[in-house]
């Protein structure tokens, strides 16, 4: 990346010592120009940013970026997976690359014939998802828990400009008319592989970005750069939660 | 930028894919003479006609087969390996219903229904 | 006035009344300087039009002869209009909008534009024949080096601003059903038809206004083109399905309609389902002596001057034409008060009686079968010499002179073929129409309008509509079938080339190439048009053959007795127009990867080094000694000393106490399921079916050629659960290989790449057990957790919480050590916990460079550092890691075959004698190893690793040396000659590996 775009993460400051599970990006969120953001604990006991500042809602309407890496998610793969998930009342999208929202607000992503990822509902901060098994000894034969809580970061773009923001980063057309609610694209954004999901959360148009966790610092700088054109910026999870 | 129609992910820039070589079968590991093995390893067909090739979609980790015309470079057809009757002469098992990407229209209908 | 240029430039002359001046906003003026003189114009003027309004007709000097040059096309299509702005060279004066306070100067001048000292070069023309540079500086060898500086100075175009400040450029992807390139009558019609049919249309226009030829041209079949233009663009602008981008250049065509479009500070990458190129055509000049003198312009240029900018192009004009459009130009000039002295029609007769009558009614004298033989004047046109055409390219021996200050010429048109030829389109020449047509376009690329040889307005618009119907049909939006549009209008004159014995009859204005230059090139044997181009440089200038391609093709065809179709034109390649590097450089995506502990290394002052896309700590220099940037390079002796000291210190610390290194970048693959062991067994060389649970095994991967391509550690945590590590750079390929084969094998196994999911450290050194004991409940005793065992357990956090962890007892650095792998979210805390727990034992972090030294001391190879594209297991002494009891593994047959063949080299350890070290000589990676018989200068191998080891007290290394067919340099004690960077050959002694702790006791503690 050219020097023109480079930003360094601030030094480690003001982070609770008992915060043992950390997003790679926590420093970027620990302090902003507006001061310390408010934090909130997820169901698994880690922190995500609740609110960056008083203008979160306005930014989120245009082009918000939410860091949700510590919000629970998981994935399962194998021939027995669909049946097992259906048995727990999760909706099974009819085809790969489609996502379905559960009644309680979690999302089920179907990535292939036999691979499903589950994304937590911001409202319950991931309670249901965090209780799902993480070891293959706890799942039926032919259903293997995946590692997307750690292998991937979860960033979310919100607002009316999500399609335009992503048109600067990805060769896949993710404007709403070509990438409607529930669409999934497994593709490359800004040269990092990611799973993109079109959602609607708390009335906001949103696209979740599940990308390689080691590249998420890089992708954060890319997203921050891309949303500037639309007066967007970082926002907290509160914009995704119903009051 | 050429487009590769991926059976799982739909049409994508070819930069999202890795070429995996022609679809061939290994000589018999036990009985094939060294020469046959060397030819299998080092010789590639260099004529015209339709090539049957392995391609890999990196972002989704998905292998599939593409048939490509060696002269025009046109990609004639892509499909899930389970549909290939030379690789899997018997009726395909669990992969038989392998993903074929729905058209954008179909996806829209699916979701709006 | 006799000549425009002889008048002092005294501010803006009066402009033509409206409706002339379509682009002008006469309520706002702009003022800028040109060569130090003040120029004033209106908003909407280009630099060029404002210059003309202020009587500046000389804009530049030509490339080779420094001849005065002025407007030719007024469309940004020629190199005559290149001027210099302070921060930007090669600005097209007739394209760049004029703005106040611009400082415009001429370029390619020695002195000033008006008094260019190099103008004298024009008189030496006969000493600078075609291929001059090519031949003159070819011999003797080395002469080019002497001339290069001088020639570069003479040949330069403009001056780059070395103090430029980078500004923000970026890129965007766009997707449309139909992209229409060009907004002339064909493009507008096509866009509207496609949009009406329900397609999402993008309409691209390179200028600032829509309309193309409707903005400036006159038409025989339409009295008021402006009314039609306004009506069409109103519909376009109101259409919900059409996106319009003006000042946007589609600069190339790539496979499957992938179009780079330059607009503002953004490079758009546009994907079109269907693409309609309505790119129009370039008016062609007539080749005669002096056809470059300012005041000689294309007919369309004169039309643009008047209609777009309200410039009166001259007082008295001659029009030279080979088609009806010249008549329309003559009429327009006449209407705007220019005295048209005569209209020279190269054809024997007119094709339009109506136009002929109109011209004659205007009092303009028409002469058929006549041409201009020579244009007269120095800095501006003063007159022309007219001759009757006697046969193809030949003229009567005498003619007559006529005074004029404007000559408008039209020899016909050349389709804007460049983008289409990039797409694989082929040009074929129609002898009847003396015109190129384009064929063999790809399925989803269409052409319409004059680029498709349609010239009457009616045919052009019908063609646009038919192209849109075809696009709609292919999109599945209509069942209507397109039909061919025919157009009988002929616009090209067959042979508009009138060679003059004294030359200066330019074919290519950019490169100052005259008719004889092209002919001479063919006589020298360069018969192929591609070779003519390379030899003569025709078409290589900024206008890229827009005007030179057609006359060159005709001249080469005639000179070599071939058809013009056979001759063809040279290959058109991207980009279409010069492309600023900022479009490429803007917002380039350059991903980097960081481990969960990355910021701890930075906080500790680590020297971070790139490892593929990762940044890794190389070593941790003492406080205040971190050198970054160019001065931190190992080539800097100061930086090198800091590095050497740091890794020596760190390595001794690991050997004596305890160290910690971040190994999170290691690849990791989970292999789970009933067939997990079977998959491992088929992929890697070792046997894995009987690998005990809780044990690790070294895993070597060979490829189809039997070459070692990756290695790792296989951990078996359960019968159906393997976790195998892989090299940082190799893991993606290993994962791909495993999934590739299992797509065919269909074993019951799940393969997951978990490289990024795990953060990992190696805690190494005699005290590592004592450090780790504080943090886990698992039995770490020698018997409870022996060397090469693996465990699943947890790390305790002071708060009482635990972190799930995997423990591997490894020996890569040759000390008691534990690799600890935890989910990435806990990586930073793991680092902190270990650093805290190790405080009492003096724990220190160590970097990748130190780790490389430590493993070298133990003789452990690093794949791709100590191996290359030929390294088979035998060369690496890895035969022990190959199972010969199993039916198959990846690369097995190739390994068998290569290992049966006579070997020629082998990897060994070596040690450098102290006296060589004392002289400061050290072999580097890649230095070659020679055969013992130095006179043979036979290379037997190369150094792969070499470092000073404080533990061994010597410079040690690994190298491939001769073996088998290349003698035997492998026996310990053998002296091997190594040629170091300086060229000196030093002798090193082959020693047995490992260099340290031969009993391997330390890692087994």
């Amino acid at each position: 990346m050219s020097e023109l775009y480079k930003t360094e993460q601030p030094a480690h400051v003001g982070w609770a010592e008992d915060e043992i599970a950390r997003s790679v990006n926590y420093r970027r969120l620990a302090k902003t120009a507006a001061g310390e953001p408010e934090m909130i604990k997820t169901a698994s006991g880690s922190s995500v940013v609740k609110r960056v500042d008083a203008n979160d809602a306005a930014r989120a309407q245009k082009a918000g970026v939410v860091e949700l890496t510590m919000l629970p998610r998981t994935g399962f793969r194998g021939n027995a997976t669909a049946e097992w998930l259906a048995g727990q009342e999760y909706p099974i999208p009819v085809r790969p690359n489609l996502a379905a929202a559960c009644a309680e607000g979690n999302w089920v992503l179907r990535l292939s014939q036999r691979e499903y990822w589950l994304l937590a509902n911001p409202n319950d901060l991931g309670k249901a998802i965090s209780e799902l098994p993480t070891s293959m000894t706890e799942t039926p034969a032919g259903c293997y828990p995946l590692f997307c809580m750690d292998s991937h970061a979860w960033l979310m773009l919100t607002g009316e400009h999500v399609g335009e923001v992503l048109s600067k980063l990805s060769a896949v057309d993710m404007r709403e008319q070509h990438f409607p609610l529930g669409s999934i694209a497994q593709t490359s954004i800004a040269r990092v592989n990611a799973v993109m999901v079109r959602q609607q959360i708390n009335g906001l148009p949103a696209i979740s970005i599940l990308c390689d966790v080691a590249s998420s610092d890089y992708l954060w700088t890319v997203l921050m750069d891309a949303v500037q054109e639309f007066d967007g910026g970082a926002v907290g999870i509160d914009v995704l939660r119903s009051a | 930028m050429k487009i590769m129609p991926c059976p799982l992910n739909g049409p994508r820039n070819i930069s999202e894919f890795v070429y995996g070589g022609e679809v061939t079968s290994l000589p018999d590991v036990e009985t094939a003479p060294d020469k046959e093995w060397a030819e299998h390893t080092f010789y590639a067909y260099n004529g015209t006609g339709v090539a049957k090739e392995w391609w890999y979609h990196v972002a989704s980790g998905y292998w599939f087969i593409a048939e490509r015309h060696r002269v025009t470079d046109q990609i004639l057809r892509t499909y899930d390996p389970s549909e290939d009757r030379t690789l899997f002469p018997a009726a395909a098992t669990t992969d038989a219903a392998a993903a074929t990407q729905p058209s954008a229209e179909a996806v829209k209908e699916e979701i709006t229904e | 006035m006799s000549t425009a240029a002889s008048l002092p430039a005294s501010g803006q002359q009066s402009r033509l009344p409206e409706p002339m001046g379509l682009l002008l906003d006469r309520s706002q003026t702009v003022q800028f300087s040109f060569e130090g003189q003040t120029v004033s114009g209106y908003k909407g003027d280009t630099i060029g039009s404002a210059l003309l309004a202020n009587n500046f007709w000389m804009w530049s000097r030509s490339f080779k002869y420094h001849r005065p040059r002025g407007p030719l096309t007024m469309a940004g299509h020629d190199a005559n209009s290149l001027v210099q702005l302070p921060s930007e060279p090669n600005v097209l004066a007739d394209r760049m909008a004029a703005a106040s306070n611009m400082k415009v100067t001429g370029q390619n001048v020695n002195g000033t534009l008006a008094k260019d000292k190099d103008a004298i070069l024009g008189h030496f023309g006969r000493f600078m024949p075609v291929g001059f540079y090519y031949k003159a500086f070819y011999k003797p060898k080395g002469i080019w080096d002497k001339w290069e500086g001088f020639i570069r100075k003479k040949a330069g175009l403009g001056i780059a601003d070395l103090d430029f400040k980078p500004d923000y450029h970026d890129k965007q992807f766009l997707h449309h059903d139909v992209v229409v390139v060009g907004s002339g009558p064909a493009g507008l019609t096509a866009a509207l038809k496609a949009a009406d049919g329900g397609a999402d249309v993008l309409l691209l226009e390179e200028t600032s206004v829509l309309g193309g030829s409707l903005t400036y041209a006159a038409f025989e079949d339409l009295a008021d083109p402006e009314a039609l233009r306004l009506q069409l663009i109103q519909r376009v602008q109101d259409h919900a399905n059409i996106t319009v981008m003006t000042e946007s250049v589609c600069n190339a065509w790539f496979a499957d309609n992938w179009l780079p479009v330059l607009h503002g500070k953004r490079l758009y990458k546009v994907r079109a389902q269907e693409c309609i190129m309505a790119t129009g055509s370039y008016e062609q000049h007539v080749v005669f002596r002096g056809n470059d003198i300012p005041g000689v312009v294309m007919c369309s240029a004169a039309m643009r001057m008047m209609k777009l900018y309200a410039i009166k192009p001259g007082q008295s004009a001659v029009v030279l034409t080979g088609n009806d459009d010249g008549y329309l130009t003559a009429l327009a000039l006449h209407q705007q008060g220019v005295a048209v002295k005569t209209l020279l029609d190269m054809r024997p007769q007119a094709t339009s009686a109506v136009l002929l009558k109109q011209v004659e009614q205007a009092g303009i004298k028409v002469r058929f079968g006549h041409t201009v033989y020579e244009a007269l004047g120095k800095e501006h046109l003063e007159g022309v010499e007219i001759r009757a055409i006697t046969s193809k390219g030949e003229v009567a021996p005498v003619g007559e002179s006529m005074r004029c200050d404007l000559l408008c010429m039209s020899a016909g048109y050349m389709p804007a073929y460049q983008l289409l030829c990039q797409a694989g389109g082929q040009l074929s020449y129609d002898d009847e129409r003396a015109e190129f047509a384009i064929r063999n376009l790809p399925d989803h690329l269409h052409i319409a309008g004059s680029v498709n040889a349609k010239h009457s307005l009616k045919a052009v618009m019908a063609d646009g509509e038919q192209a849109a119907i075809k696009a709609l049909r292919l999109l599945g939006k209509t069942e209507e079938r397109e039909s061919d549009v025919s157009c009988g209008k002929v616009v090209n004159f067959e042979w508009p080339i009138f060679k003059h014995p004294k030359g200066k009859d330019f074919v290519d204005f950019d490169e100052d190439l005259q008719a004889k230059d092209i002919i001479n090139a063919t006589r020298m044997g360069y018969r192929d048009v591609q070779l003519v181009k390379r030899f003569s440089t025709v078409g290589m200038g900024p206008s890229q053959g827009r005007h030179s391609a057609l006359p060159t093709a005709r001249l080469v065809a005639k000179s070599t007795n071939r058809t013009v179709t056979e001759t063809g034109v040279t290959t058109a390649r991207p980009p279409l127009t010069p492309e600023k590097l900022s479009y490429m450089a803007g917002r380039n995506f350059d991903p980097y990867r960081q481990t969960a502990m990355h910021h701890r290394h930075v906080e500790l002052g680590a020297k971070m080094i790139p490892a593929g896309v990762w940044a890794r700590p190389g070593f941790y220099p003492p406080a205040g000694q971190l050198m970054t940037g160019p001065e931190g390079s190992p080539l800097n002796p100061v930086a090198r000393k800091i590095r050497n000291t740091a890794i020596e210190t760190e390595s001794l610390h690991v050997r004596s106490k305890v160290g910690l290194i971040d190994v999170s970048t290691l690849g990791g693959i989970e292999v789970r399921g009933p067939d997990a062991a079977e998959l491992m067994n088929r992929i890697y060389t070792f046997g894995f079916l009987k690998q005990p649970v809780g044990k690790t095994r070294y895993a070597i991967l060979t490829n189809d050629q039997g070459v070692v391509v990756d290695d790792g550690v296989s951990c078996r945590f359960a019968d159906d659960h393997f976790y195998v590590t892989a090299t940082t750079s190799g893991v993606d390929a290993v994962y791909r290989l495993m999934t590739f084969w299992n797509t065919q094998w269909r074993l019951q196994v799940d393969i997951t790449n978990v490289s990024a999911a795990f953060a990992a450290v190696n805690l190494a050194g005699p005290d590592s057990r004592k450090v780790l004991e504080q943090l886990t409940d698992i039995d770490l005793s020698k018997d409870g957790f022996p060397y090469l065992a693996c465990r699943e357990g947890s790390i305790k956090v002071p708060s009482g919480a635990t972190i799930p962890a995997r423990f591997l007892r490894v020996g890569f650095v040759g000390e008691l050590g534990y690799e600890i792998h935890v989910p990435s979210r806990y990586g930073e805390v793991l680092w902190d916990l270990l650093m805290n727990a190790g405080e009492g034992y003096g724990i220190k972090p160590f970097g990748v460079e130190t780790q490389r030294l430590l493993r070298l001391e133990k003789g452990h190879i690093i794949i791709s550092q100590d191996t290359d594209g030929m390294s088979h297991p035998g060369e690496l002494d890895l035969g022990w890691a190959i199972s010969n009891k199993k039916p198959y593994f990846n690369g097995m047959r190739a390994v068998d075959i290569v290992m049966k063949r006579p070997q020629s080299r082998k990897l060994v350890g070596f040690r450098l004698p102290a006296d060589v070290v004392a002289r400061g000589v050290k072999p580097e990676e890649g230095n070659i190893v020679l055969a013992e018989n130095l006179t043979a200068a036979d290379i037997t191998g190369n150094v792969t690793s070499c470092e000073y080891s404080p533990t061994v007290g010597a410079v040690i290394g690994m190298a491939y040396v001769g073996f088998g067919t290349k003698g035997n340099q492998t026996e310990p004690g053998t002296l091997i000659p190594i040629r170091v960077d300086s060229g000196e050959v030093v002798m090193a002694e082959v020693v047995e590996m490992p260099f340290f702790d031969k009993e391997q006791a330390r890692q087994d503690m």
Side-chain angles (χ1 to χ4, degrees), chain A residues 79 94-98 111-114 171-172 177-178 180-188 193-195, chain B residues 8-13 16 57-61 94-95 97-102 104 106-108 110-111:
Chain A
N79 289 333
V94 293
R95 284 194 204 93
N97 286 322
L98 282 183
L111 299 186
S112 75
Q113 282 299 322
R114 287 160 298 189
V172 176
Q177 62 271 36
H178 295 96
L181 190 62
S183 302
I184 294 176
Q186 302 178 63
T187 185
S188 159
N193 288 330
V195 176
Chain B
L8 177 65
N9 297 286
R12 290 293 171 80
N13 285 354
E16 292 198 12
H57 184 247
V58 178
S60 59
T94 51
D95 285 353
T100 41
Q101 178 67 6
V107 172
K108 261 186 254 173
E110 191 77 40
I111 286 165

Side-chain angles (χ1 to χ4, degrees), chain C residues 460-641:
Chain C
V460 162
M461 292 178 69
D463 205 33
E465 189 162 301
Q466 293 308 314
I469 291 170
K470 187 174 181 194
L472 287 168
R473 179 170 63 77
L474 291 170
L475 286 168
K477 289 183 187 291
T478 184
E479 286 174 10
E480 195 181 343
R481 290 202 71 95
E482 68 280 5
S483 52
D484 282 340
V485 175
S486 68
C487 175
K489 188 177 173 189
V490 175
V491 292
N492 279 15
F493 182 68
E494 175 206 11
W495 193 263
I497 300 170
F498 303 97
K499 197 169 160 292
H500 194 286
K502 283 153 74 181
K504 301 293 186 284
D505 41 7
F506 290 101
V507 170
D508 184 335
F509 298 110
D510 300 13
E511 302 278 341
D512 273 352
L513 291 170
Q514 311 155 69
K516 65 179 177 196
D517 295 329
I518 306 298
I519 295 166
N520 287 347
T522 63
R523 289 190 182 147
M524 284 173 204
Y526 298 97
R527 289 168 50 86
D528 187 288
V529 72
Q530 305 282 3
L531 296 177
V532 170
K533 173 176 176 173
R534 278 146 190 79
F535 181 69
S536 69
T537 71
V538 65
M540 288 190 189
S543 52
Q544 289 285 291
R546 286 185 196 101
H547 307 109
S548 60
L550 182 56
T552 300
R554 286 169 171 161
L555 283 166
V556 171
K558 186 180 173 208
S559 181
T560 59
N561 293 317
R562 284 177 299 172
T563 65
V564 178
T565 299
E566 281 170 339
T567 305
V569 299
T570 57
T571 310
R573 296 186 182 86
L576 174 66
T577 68
E579 193 161 302
K580 289 184 190 172
L581 290 175
S582 51
Y583 281 112
M584 298 290 165
R587 201 55 169 123
N588 252 344
F589 294 119
D590 195 1
Y592 55 85
R593 302 181 82 188
Q594 294 178 344
T595 72
M597 304 153 196
H598 176 84
H599 295 281
R600 288 293 183 257
H601 309 318
V602 175
E603 286 155 15
L604 286 162
K607 166 76 180 173
M608 301 302 286
I609 57 171
V613 286
W614 294 92
R616 298 195 68 186
F619 53 91
Y620 298 80
Q625 290 189 24
L626 176 62
M627 294 173 86
T628 53
E631 70 161 4
S633 150
L635 296 174
N636 175 0
V638 181
R640 189 151 186 88
K641 183 149 195 304

